[in-house]
Structure formats: C-alpha cells, structure tokens
Amino acid sequence: MHTIIDLLKRDIGKASSVGGIVDAAHDVARRAGFDAMIYDFSPVATTPEGTLVIPSHLSHREAPADMRQLWCEQKYHQHDPVQQIALKTSAPFVWSYRQNGRHTALASHLKKEHEPVTAYLHDTNLTCGITVPLHRSTGGFATFTVIQKDAGPSFIRDTRDVLQSVGLMGQIMHDAALPHLATDQTQATIAALTPREAECLHLSAQGHTAKEIADQIGRSVPTATLHLKSATAKLRARNRAHAVALALHYRLIEL
C-alpha cells in the first residue's frame, strides 16, 4: 500500500485542478480495490442548531449522475448517516448498509430518517465503503469516501487492513484539492453578503454603533443602517446581534 501512496502523491503532483486531483485519487483507489469515490467539502460543518451544512463542493467518480442533485439540492446530505458519524469522529471508519450495518460504524445508528438514503444506496449498489472525516481547524469539514461495489462477505475484514492507508489517501487528496477550490466554494453559502455589508457587520461585532460604523465607512448613518438591515435580512436573522452571531458562525466575518 505504500507504493499506492507514493503513486497518489506523484499523480496528484501533476494535477492542476480539483477535477484532475479527484481523477488521480480515484485511479489510485481503483488500484487499491475500490470502485467509486466521493469527495465533499463544506466551509462550515453545521448550522448553529447542529444540522449538517450542505457541501459547497461535491465530486464523485463511478457514482450515479443524480447523486449531486439528491445530496445537495434535495438535502440527502443532511440525512446521510455516514456523514453524521463522520461529523463526530476524526478517524477513518468502515461502513456497510447490509444487515443494518452489522459489525460496522452504522450498527445501531440507522433510523427512519435515513430510509431515503439507505434505499438509494441499495438501489445503486453503493452499500459498502470507507469514509475519512477531514476536520479543519478553521471550521471546514470534508469527507473522502471510497466504495466497493459487489463487495464480498469478507469486505469488512479485508478493508480494516487498509483503513489507515485510505485515511492517508484522503488527507493527501484533500490537502491538494483545497487550494484549488473556487472562492465561493470555500465560503459558506448561507448568504451572499456584499463587501460593505460584511464590513458593517464586522464593525458591529466589534461593538461599534451605527453612527461609529457610518464614520468608519465614510457614509451616512441611514446608509450604514441600511447595510446592516440588508445583511440581517439575508442571514434571516432576528436582529442585528443575531446577524453578527450567524456571520461569525459561518465565518463570513472574523474578529
């Protein structure tokens, strides 16, 4: 497996885009005995209430074309038990939807809310895999998943032998892909604040009044207030303080 890791580093080093990096990682995953691969990234892991944030980037290889639409637009991602487990651990783990996840991380975890995801993965033969959680100190959250289709009865035993190496593969791929993600994919998509709205919220977070904010941005108090109200509305916040809290949580501003 060390040869596979060396091969991954070499091939990723030749790639100049996220797509190229994903292709290189998928090629190496296939050499390691896996068929499909999925990589997703969210600049913020959860909402303030603890719900998974829909990924700003999702790439997959040898998975159905409608997966992106289901996971991102129909929000299957928020009800994906593998993602829910990944959120709470930093260690790579083996999972299987067969026999209700018996002997894997899914055991005793599957619930009624997971049924649409479970049914889809059974229908598409994506029932057995390894997921690598990738938590960043800045709050970003990604997962790297490899899947073996038509996995045999020894899948769980066999894949545990390569768990550490797959974890290293995921880390290498993620570190290479992150700098290539578009700016709008590395920022939370909850609201598209203008630079001026973000600036006004940032000043508000520092404790400045509307008048002080107006003085700092060189505009009138009504204009500064308008920017703050617009940001509050975009964030669907109850008030200015709530807007500041949300902007900080989603890293739209920083103190």
Side-chain angles (χ1 to χ4, degrees):
M1 199 67 178
H2 288 295
T3 303
I4 292 292
I5 296 299
D6 292 338
L7 182 62
L8 176 63
K9 290 179 178 178
R10 186 198 70 185
D11 290 352
I12 279 181
K14 298 177 182 178
S16 58
S17 66
V18 175
I21 291 167
V22 171
D23 286 339
H26 179 235
D27 181 63
V28 171
R30 291 180 65 182
R31 291 170 184 254
F34 298 94
D35 302 296
M37 193 199 84
I38 303 167
Y39 168 71
D40 61 76
F41 173 76
S42 302
V44 179
T46 68
T47 66
E49 295 75 30
T51 302
L52 281 162
V53 170
I54 299 299
S56 58
H57 177 88
L58 189 151
S59 293
H60 57 72
R61 298 293 184 268
E62 296 299 322
D66 64 349
M67 184 172 225
R68 181 194 304 274
Q69 190 262 339
L70 288 170
W71 256 249
C72 296
E73 296 178 26
Q74 295 192 28
K75 301 183 179 180
Y76 274 38
H77 179 81
Q78 294 179 332
H79 303 284
D80 184 338
V82 168
Q83 291 291 333
Q84 292 171 353
I85 293 170
L87 183 64
K88 299 177 181 179
T89 183
S90 58
F93 57 92
V94 179
W95 51 266
S96 172
Y97 284 88
R98 298 176 181 177
Q99 297 181 324
N100 292 320
R102 186 180 178 186
H103 302 310
T104 76
L106 288 176
S108 304
H109 188 83
L110 295 177
K111 301 176 183 177
K112 188 173 181 61
E113 69 166 289
H114 303 132
E115 287 180 358
V117 172
T118 300
Y120 177 85
L121 295 177
H122 274 289
D123 289 345
T124 55
N125 197 20
L126 301 175
T127 56
C128 300
I130 294 175
T131 290
V132 183
L134 299 156
H135 300 270
R136 299 190 67 82
S137 59
T138 55
F141 173 58
T143 59
F144 170 82
T145 296
V146 290
I147 298 171
Q148 189 177 105
K149 298 180 179 180
D150 300 315
S154 63
F155 170 79
I156 296 172
R157 182 182 67 251
D158 294 344
T159 51
R160 281 177 174 157
D161 293 336
V162 299
L163 198 58
Q164 186 174 358
S165 295
V166 171
L168 184 56
M169 287 172 57
Q171 188 65 62
I172 292 169
M173 201 225 81
H174 178 55
D175 288 345
L178 196 58
H180 292 280
L181 291 177
T183 301
D184 61 352
Q185 293 179 329
T186 59
Q187 297 175 346
T189 56
I190 182 175
L193 300 182
T194 66
R196 185 66 83 186
E197 289 165 352
E199 181 184 13
C200 290
L201 273 184
H202 179 254
L203 291 169
S204 183
Q206 293 179 326
H208 293 289
T209 65
K211 184 179 185 309
E212 291 170 338
I213 292 172
D215 290 341
Q216 292 214 32
I217 67 173
R219 295 291 186 270
S220 67
V221 173
T223 297
T225 301
L226 181 64
H227 287 312
L228 289 166
K229 286 183 176 179
S230 177
T232 300
K234 286 181 178 180
L235 289 165
R236 299 181 181 180
R238 296 186 298 273
N239 49 46
R240 189 183 304 174
H242 187 211
V244 167
L246 289 174
L248 287 169
H249 175 81
Y250 289 108
R251 300 183 183 273
L252 299 175
I253 61 173
E254 293 186 7
L255 290 176

